[in-house]
Amino acid sequence: MLRYFWTATQKDRIRDTCTEYNLPSKVRERIISTVELLDSYYGVGRSMDDDGGCVILIIDDDVSRTKRAYEEVLKKYHTCEEEREFQDILYSDRQEEYYADLYIVSSEIGITIIWYQKERS
C-alpha cells in the first residue's frame, strides 16, 4: 500500500492513515513535520509531482511487496538507492523498525519514503 502526502492540508488524512495502520506516533509526527516544511518552502497549493516533493508511505507486511513498491517509487522519480541522501530510523523495537529515506530527485523536488521492516535482524 502506497500513500502520498504533500501538504499539511492533508493532516486529517495523515492522522487517519496512521491510526488505521496503527503506526507509531514518531511516524505520524515525521510525516506532518515534513509536509509542513514542504508547505513553508514551496507553498500550500502546489502540485505533488511538479512543484516540490512529497512523503510516500509504504505499508505492507510482505517484505518482497515492500521492496517492489520501493523500487517502483525510485523508478517513477528516476533515481536509485545509491542516490539516497540519508536514512533515519524513526522507530525501533524488537518487532519492527520504521525508516525515513530522503532522495533529492531534482533541483526542486525531494521525496521522503517511509517504510518499515518487521522482525528486525
Side-chain angles (χ1 to χ4, degrees):
M1 183 280 309
L2 290 171
R3 294 282 193 264
Y4 289 80
F5 304 106
W6 60 94
T7 178
T9 61
Q10 297 173 300
K11 281 184 184 178
D12 289 339
R13 186 171 162 236
I14 293 166
R15 286 186 190 105
D16 291 346
T17 299
C18 292
T19 300
E20 177 183 351
Y21 291 98
N22 198 30
L23 302 180
S25 61
K26 294 224 183 248
V27 172
R28 182 188 68 245
E29 291 165 7
R30 174 60 70 89
I31 295 170
I32 290 173
S33 69
T34 301
V35 296
E36 287 175 340
L37 185 67
L38 291 170
D39 282 356
S40 71
Y41 283 100
Y42 302 110
V44 176
R46 69 191 188 288
S47 160
M48 178 186 70
D49 289 323
D50 298 330
D51 299 324
C54 64
V55 175
I56 303 158
L57 177 63
I58 302 173
I59 298 296
D60 200 315
D61 287 335
D62 182 274
V63 175
S64 63
R65 284 193 306 250
T66 297
K67 184 172 175 59
R68 196 167 34 252
Y70 193 103
E71 290 169 354
E72 288 172 12
V73 168
L74 295 181
K75 184 176 179 180
K76 175 181 178 178
Y77 287 97
H78 309 288
T79 192
C80 61
E81 280 191 67
E82 292 79 21
E83 293 179 357
R84 178 176 54 214
E85 294 293 319
F86 68 84
Q87 180 178 77
D88 278 343
I89 298 175
L90 299 178
Y91 176 83
S92 180
D93 66 15
R94 293 181 180 184
Q95 305 300 316
E96 58 195 1
E97 283 186 334
Y98 287 80
Y99 301 91
D101 297 351
L102 174 66
Y103 291 87
I104 307 301
V105 295
S106 77
S107 62
E108 289 294 321
I109 298 176
I111 61 169
T112 300
I113 303 172
I114 296 179
W115 59 283
Y116 80 103
Q117 178 177 322
K118 284 209 165 255
E119 299 178 6
R120 310 184 308 137
S121 50

